[in-house]
Amino acid sequence: MKLRLNHVAIAVPDLAASAAMYRDVLGADVSGQMDLAEHGVSVIFVQLPNTKIELIHPFGEKSSIAGFLEKNPNGGIHHICLETDDVAVAAAEMQKAGKRVLGPPKIGAHDHPVIFLHPKDFNGALVELEEVKD
Ligand code: CO
């Protein structure tokens, strides 16, 4: 499998304040806010020349990010996202390797299929795989 880093996601308690920090203090390009109901998150992307940072905050009632922010009230690194050319193939390979895939593929923030891999199988890091055809 050929992988590339797509983004690092940071859960933040205040999306607007974090976006302003990246924009005004670090001088980065920052996207508008997207609310992803299916994922239970609102996201803002910090666009860097070689990758992105995804700022995420709970959206809706049953957000998976809410518990993370309760444990990490100042925010923290939530997941890394690696690009792969075929998420279905990657999911099958991961299962064959004994790695836990968390649910079926969903459509992510860039209208591409994504899956998540269990952090206990990847040294404590939640790994998102995003399908990007090149
Ligand atoms: Co992500």
Side-chain angles (χ1 to χ4, degrees), residues 34-107:
M34 286 173 276
D35 299 325
L36 306 175
E38 194 194 349
H39 295 270
V41 293
S42 295
V43 303
I44 289 178
F45 282 97
V46 180
Q47 311 281 354
L48 305 177
N50 61 339
T51 190
K52 296 185 281 274
I53 298 168
E54 182 185 64
L55 304 174
I56 53 177
H57 184 79
F59 176 81
E61 295 292 294
K62 47 183 172 54
S63 176
S64 56
I65 310 299
F68 183 90
L69 276 176
E70 264 165 44
K71 284 183 225 143
N72 305 278
N74 291 322
I77 293 183
H78 182 263
H79 65 268
I80 63 166
C81 176
L82 303 173
E83 293 177 3
T84 184
D85 52 7
D86 191 319
V87 149
V89 168
E93 279 181 24
M94 291 304 104
Q95 271 155 349
K96 220 165 89 185
K99 306 299 186 191
R100 283 165 282 183
V101 178
L102 303 172
K106 287 184 181 177
I107 298 302

Side-chain angles (χ1 to χ4, degrees), residues 12 15 18 29-30 53 55 60 65 74 81 87-88 93 100-102 108 114-115 118 124 126 132-133:
V12 302
L15 209 44
S18 298
D29 286 336
V30 167
I53 298 168
L55 304 174
I65 310 299
N74 291 322
C81 176
V87 149
E93 279 181 24
R100 283 165 282 183
V101 178
L102 303 172
V114 301
I115 55 171
H118 201 298
L126 177 62
V132 177
K133 310 263 189 209

